[in-house]
Amino acid sequence: MLPFKTLIETDKSLKLPVYQQISNRLIGLIQEGLLKPGSFLPGSRVLAEHLALHRKTVIAAYDELISQDWLEAVPRKGVMVAANLPVIRPRTYRKTVTPYGEEAAFAFHRIPTLPVPTPPPATGTMLVLNDGFPDARLAPLNEWVRECRSVIENPRYHKLLMYGKAMGSEALREAMVKYLTDTRGLSISADHIMITRGAQMAIYLAAAMIIRKDDYVIVGSPNYFYADLCFEQLGARLLYVPVDEEGIDVDAVEKLCSSKKIKMLYLITHHHHPTTVTLSAARRMKLLAIIRKYNLPVIEDDYDYDFHYSSAPILPLASADHGGNVIYIGSFTKSLGLSIRIGFMIAPASFIRGSASLRGLMDLRGDNLSEQALANLLADGTIDRHLKKSNKIYKERRDLLCYLLQTRLGDAVQFTIPAGGMAVWVRFSQKISLVKLAEKARARGLRIASGEQYHYGAASQNGLRLGFASLNNKELTEAVKILEKLVREELKA
Amino acid sequence: MLPFKTLIETDKSLKLPVYQQISNRLIGLIQEGLLKPGSFLPGSRVLAEHLALHRKTVIAAYDELISQDWLEAVPRKGVMVAANLPVIRPRTYRKTVTPYGEEAAFAFHRIPTLPVPTPPPATGTMLVLNDGFPDARLAPLNEWVRECRSVIENPRYHKLLMYGKAMGSEALREAMVKYLTDTRGLSISADHIMITRGAQMAIYLAAAMIIRKDDYVIVGSPNYFYADLCFEQLGARLLYVPVDEEGIDVDAVEKLCSSKKIKMLYLITHHHHPTTVTLSAARRMKLLAIIRKYNLPVIEDDYDYDFHYSSAPILPLASADHGGNVIYIGSFTKSLGLSIRIGFMIAPASFIRGSASLRGLMDLRGDNLSEQALANLLADGTIDRHLKKSNKIYKERRDLLCYLLQTRLGDAVQFTIPAGGMAVWVRFSQKISLVKLAEKARARGLRIASGEQYHYGAASQNGLRLGFASLNNKELTEAVKILEKLVREELKA
């Protein structure tokens, strides 16, 4: 008889019933080749004694394995390991099988990762000047939870649940028609709207609908790095076009269009990432003419449209006459404090249908409950009130950060006050190493990026995005104080 | 002067301030070529009179456009359309630009859609025998909302929010290590877990990591159609292997492996979709030997593991000795009543890291709030209690539906009582057209599928999945009554 006492360990404190612990272990012994097909197990009384357990527990384990075909009850002889199991060659004995400790034996594809060491997350009371995140303390999360409760208390909801669509909830799409018409001058119906998990999913889906291997795609230099990586993953060859204080260079775009088959243009019309510039009116007009002339597919990523402080934001390209070529992308994620990620794509109806099919293969559909709750918050004006309130606060924080940067670091930095968004694009004196600066800041309780991600595919401007939205006035003042001290040290060194 | 009175309409009942309505419309007129670069606008007093508005409103509109570079203020002459806008050739005049009414002028990729006309959603009090959905009325949604509230009330949460990971929340991954060890005998750490939006996203990500164009992928015949479509979208050539009452034919799998370079095998070990069969112990053993011998990458889709009624579910392949080749996929979506979709993938650490990078490009990361709430529900035993309670109820419903089918439709249908899951796989007499049956049922207030999706890539078995979990006893009885009547009519005809 095998030394079952040492081979089978049981632990009454586990959630898994003891009889199942035994049956699982017996399966392991069969799989490891220690219990061979056709061999007999000890009687239940014997095994129970060995394991110091009640006989009923062992019988339950045997019954379980008989019902699962691992064991067979042979009348008058006892319980046998099923004879029709394939003979397994004994393998090196390992007490616990931990297959995931091994690397996969097959070769899989290595997906490009962001070629940037992100600084470790902030700990404890550490201050963060981030890439441009909202202040979750201001987000209408209480209202969101309230609406979730009201949705699940509606008895009709339980029926609606079963019919989620890859395009998103009808209620939310209808609420968005009104919202987007009011705020962006878009002339659309629900057929032109698809709800996505966040803006990034909309970018991926739209790009996957357009790009095939080795296609040329025009992006800004610099550009939002996650968009670049996404297009490269889909097989695109990126062509970089300069971004200056008026936005992307549209003459350079036209030059490329007239010399090559360009499959797509990606651009951020408001508060470009990372530089925060907004495309000028003149360039918009010119770009619209180019789009129509070349039937140029465009992804207009307008992730930060709702956060604008200087004047009303310029209407998106999507609201002008582009012949259905502009795929417009936006997001509610920042309004929801990054807790719940909901974005959207606006496009011609057939493009939306295709994107929804693709999304179905990737992710079936979104969360009904979250989408319904957001629809309620849009309809009852909560989102609108939140935007009014937070825009006022973010404007003050922008002004404070810019004032502090100007007065404390004026000789070491260059920046333009951004018209909107949640970060200032700050270029540092070449004497300052941002990697070193980030490291030293961390030691003083301030987390900033080290800047490499902002020149993916572009020349370094020795720049950093310094997010102002998530810190209050006291925290911003404290953060710049730390920064000033370190910059002074660096300049002296 | 242009007929501004008819060209510019304003509406005080809109959320958009009137001055912005005017400025948006003026931009439209410039873009449509009606207002040309260098031309002068009427004075604010004149335009205000024409539009019957206060002069200040018009001034605010002009100021807005000046700040956006569309207009220029020329001293002593008035307000002019900016001269540096490119000259736009006048186009056919359209009062409102509705570019999304047009189809995209560029060619985009048509994504394969499910080649099946899904019956329209149920309306009003219509009964539904669905594909196998849970009863949202039983789901712990109140508890879920309660945990969402507790998460947002935690002041530390607002900091945590900013550091979401593509792999999923650390708290949830830690809670899942315990949960998966207890319930599935998996020997893993958090490094082997990735949280996804739902099981479908895990399938897509894993497949995208493994499959390249023209690779051979083995699937069951029949198979879960969304998996087939997903692999085909990724470029795979599907090889179908029969599924019988013991599950997928593993000898046929080995035969293919020995004759062709097989890139991947997809299988559903418990409650196969659509047939509900569970892979037998003998075939599991043989399959594990094949996996090791050929280093065969396997996606084990175990979407319904938590719902098992006949005996304890057999341990997944993933818990046995597979050398890191089995990518294991599961889901909490059914426990959360389909409201919030959260799934997971278990794989070797490097595979998880790669999948997380890819997910980042598609979707950055999940919803922090939802993931944290689920972590709490796992940790405090809510999910566990829900599963115990709902398994008891679903078992009763399964037994009732099977009893009703047997006694009322016994001569017209064939089925096996499923050991778990949420649907019975019912094969109808060849005399019955399921398309017609679905149509007629609809007219009587019962929604059933028309069956085509269940033989995507396989011979039709004239079968339907009839979901029992989402209907209570009264509803199930009513549903079968309708079905019986229609089947009798069909058989007579």
Side-chain angles (χ1 to χ4, degrees), chain A residues 226-244:
Chain A
Y226 265 110
D228 283 0
L229 290 170
C230 168
F231 306 147
E232 287 183 337
Q233 171 65 20
L234 290 164
R237 287 182 286 183
L238 299 185
L239 299 171
Y240 290 92
V241 156
V243 172
D244 59 29

Side-chain angles (χ1 to χ4, degrees), chain B residues 398-443:
Chain B
R398 174 199 67 172
D399 292 342
L400 177 63
L401 178 61
C402 289
Y403 170 79
L404 291 170
L405 289 174
Q406 191 57 53
T407 52
R408 307 290 185 83
L409 296 171
D411 52 337
V413 298
Q414 274 194 306
F415 64 91
T416 308
I417 299 176
M422 301 194 175
V424 184
W425 172 241
V426 181
R427 278 165 302 152
F428 285 76
S429 150
Q430 292 297 340
K431 290 181 209 149
I432 293 168
S433 149
L434 295 180
V435 174
K436 262 211 291 195
L437 190 69
E439 228 178 82
K440 288 190 171 173
R442 189 170 181 81

Side-chain angles (χ1 to χ4, degrees), chain A residues 42-324:
Chain A
S44 55
R45 194 184 308 271
V46 176
L47 187 58
E49 256 172 47
H50 268 76
L51 302 180
L53 293 169
H54 197 285
R55 190 182 162 202
K56 274 192 180 161
T57 309
V58 174
I59 293 179
Y62 282 1
D63 283 352
E64 175 69 34
L65 292 175
I66 290 167
S67 82
Q68 291 187 12
D69 303 333
W70 292 101
L71 301 183
E72 280 171 31
V74 183
R76 276 188 305 273
K77 294 194 70 177
V79 172
M80 180 182 88
V81 179
N84 67 344
L85 296 177
V87 180
I88 302 298
R89 203 158 29 93
R91 295 165 58 82
T92 318
Y93 176 67
R94 278 177 298 175
K95 185 144 185 206
T96 314
V97 180
T98 55
Y100 291 114
E102 307 173 37
E103 284 307 292
F106 61 86
F108 55 85
H109 305 286
R110 307 282 163 172
I111 306 295
T113 50
L114 192 57
V116 176
T118 322
T123 52
T125 57
M126 198 175 266
L127 292 168
V128 186
L129 285 168
N130 54 45
D131 186 65
F133 298 156
D135 190 339
R137 294 171 293 195
L138 302 176
L141 293 177
N142 276 313
E143 291 83 347
W144 191 82
V145 170
R146 182 195 69 207
E147 289 309 320
C148 283
R149 181 165 300 284
S150 118
V151 170
I152 63 168
E153 279 169 359
N154 176 353
R156 281 194 59 231
Y157 172 65
H158 301 296
K159 287 226 156 178
L160 281 175
L161 273 185
M162 296 184 197
Y163 306 104
K165 281 188 170 180
M167 247 177 240
S169 112
E170 309 243 357
L172 180 52
R173 286 157 69 225
E174 288 299 342
M176 280 188 54
V177 169
K178 189 168 160 12
Y179 176 78
L180 294 174
T181 309
D182 284 356
T183 56
R184 283 144 168 95
L186 293 179
S187 170
I188 51 171
S189 69
D191 294 341
H192 306 121
I193 302 185
M194 169 171 180
I195 311 297
T196 58
R197 296 292 192 170
Q200 186 72 31
M201 182 179 276
I203 295 172
Y204 184 90
L205 287 171
M209 289 281 288
I210 297 170
I211 299 172
R212 281 298 174 271
K213 199 168 157 23
D214 295 330
D215 279 347
Y216 287 113
V217 168
I218 301 178
V219 297
S221 168
N223 190 35
Y224 173 52
F225 43 83
Y226 265 110
D228 283 0
L229 290 170
C230 168
F231 306 147
E232 287 183 337
Q233 171 65 20
L234 290 164
R237 287 182 286 183
L238 299 185
L239 299 171
Y240 290 92
V241 156
V243 172
D244 59 29
E245 61 283 356
E246 281 194 68
I248 202 165
D249 179 345
V250 296
D251 290 329
V253 170
E254 171 144 41
K255 212 169 144 196
L256 285 171
C257 287
S258 66
S259 68
K260 274 192 170 68
K261 173 72 201 139
I262 302 299
K263 200 57 172 295
M264 188 183 102
L265 163 66
Y266 167 86
L267 84 171
I268 308 165
T269 37
H270 292 101
H271 327 143
H272 172 263
H273 190 288
T275 68
T276 79
V277 299
T278 290
L279 193 65
S280 71
R283 289 205 182 161
R284 269 160 206 258
M285 298 287 292
K286 225 179 215 170
L287 188 54
L288 281 167
I290 295 170
I291 290 169
R292 288 191 302 260
K293 179 170 171 194
Y294 295 95
N295 276 331
L296 177 66
V298 172
I299 292 182
E300 182 179 24
D301 181 356
D302 210 6
Y303 71 112
D304 248 355
Y305 180 92
D306 288 324
F307 301 93
H308 200 90
Y309 319 122
S310 295
S311 59
I314 298 176
L315 288 183
L317 287 178
S319 69
D321 191 5
H322 53 71

Side-chain angles (χ1 to χ4, degrees), chain A residues 26 81 128 226 241 368 374 380 383 422 430 435-436 482:
Chain A
L26 287 172
V81 179
V128 186
Y226 265 110
V241 156
N368 293 287
L374 176 59
D380 74 7
I383 293 294
M422 301 194 174
Q430 292 298 338
V435 174
K436 262 212 286 194
I482 297 172

Side-chain angles (χ1 to χ4, degrees), chain A residues 15-16 20 24 31 64 67-68 70 84-86 88 91 94 97-100 102-106 108-109 111 113 122 125-126 128 130 136 141-142 144-145 149 152 157-159 161-163 182 187-188 192 197 200-201 204 209-210 212 229 233 281-282 285-286 288 292 295 297 311-315 318 320-326 328 337-341 346-348 350-351 354 357-358 360-370 384 447 470, chain B residues 15-16 20 24 31 64 67-68 70 84-86 88 91 94 97-100 102-106 108-109 111 113 122 125-126 128 130 136 141-142 144-145 149 152 157-159 161-163 182 187-188 192 197 200-201 204 209-210 212 229 233 281-282 285-286 288 292 295 297 311-315 318 320-326 328 337-341 346-348 350-351 354 357-358 360-370 384 447 470:
Chain A
K15 197 159 66 179
L16 196 69
Q20 258 181 277
N24 289 349
Q31 290 177 334
E64 175 69 34
S67 82
Q68 291 187 12
W70 292 101
N84 67 344
L85 296 177
I88 302 298
R91 295 165 58 82
R94 278 177 298 175
V97 180
T98 55
Y100 291 114
E102 307 173 37
E103 284 307 292
F106 61 86
F108 55 85
H109 305 286
I111 306 295
T113 50
T125 57
M126 198 175 266
V128 186
N130 54 45
L141 293 177
N142 276 313
W144 191 82
V145 170
R149 181 165 300 284
I152 63 168
Y157 172 65
H158 301 296
K159 287 226 156 178
L161 273 185
M162 296 184 197
Y163 306 104
D182 284 356
S187 170
I188 51 171
H192 306 121
R197 296 292 192 170
Q200 186 72 31
M201 182 179 276
Y204 184 90
M209 289 281 288
I210 297 170
R212 281 298 174 271
L229 290 170
Q233 171 65 20
M285 298 287 292
K286 225 179 215 170
L288 281 167
R292 288 191 302 260
N295 276 331
S311 59
I314 298 176
L315 288 183
D321 191 5
H322 53 71
N325 291 307
V326 173
Y328 181 74
L338 305 184
S339 314
I340 298 292
R341 295 169 33 72
I346 309 296
S350 63
F351 193 91
S357 294
L358 181 56
L361 303 180
M362 275 168 45
D363 179 32
L364 293 188
R365 60 180 167 269
D367 294 345
N368 293 287
L369 185 48
S370 302
D384 204 42
R447 183 182 189 265
S470 60
Chain B
K15 197 160 65 177
L16 196 70
Q20 257 181 277
N24 287 351
Q31 290 178 333
E64 175 70 33
S67 82
Q68 290 188 11
W70 292 100
N84 66 345
L85 297 175
I88 302 298
R91 295 164 58 83
R94 279 178 296 178
V97 180
T98 55
Y100 291 114
E102 307 172 38
E103 285 307 292
F106 61 87
F108 55 85
H109 305 286
I111 305 295
T113 51
T125 56
M126 196 173 266
V128 185
N130 54 45
L141 293 177
N142 276 314
W144 190 81
V145 170
R149 181 165 298 284
I152 64 169
Y157 173 65
H158 301 295
K159 287 227 156 176
L161 273 184
M162 296 182 195
Y163 305 103
D182 284 354
S187 170
I188 51 171
H192 307 120
R197 295 293 192 170
Q200 186 72 30
M201 181 179 276
Y204 184 89
M209 288 282 289
I210 297 171
R212 281 297 175 269
L229 290 170
Q233 171 66 21
M285 297 287 292
K286 225 180 216 169
L288 282 167
R292 287 192 301 260
N295 275 332
S311 60
I314 298 176
L315 289 183
D321 191 5
H322 52 71
N325 291 307
V326 172
Y328 181 75
L338 304 185
S339 314
I340 298 293
R341 296 170 31 72
I346 309 296
S350 63
F351 193 91
S357 294
L358 180 56
L361 303 180
M362 276 167 47
D363 180 31
L364 293 189
R365 60 179 167 270
D367 294 346
N368 294 285
L369 185 47
S370 302
D384 205 42
R447 184 181 188 265
S470 60

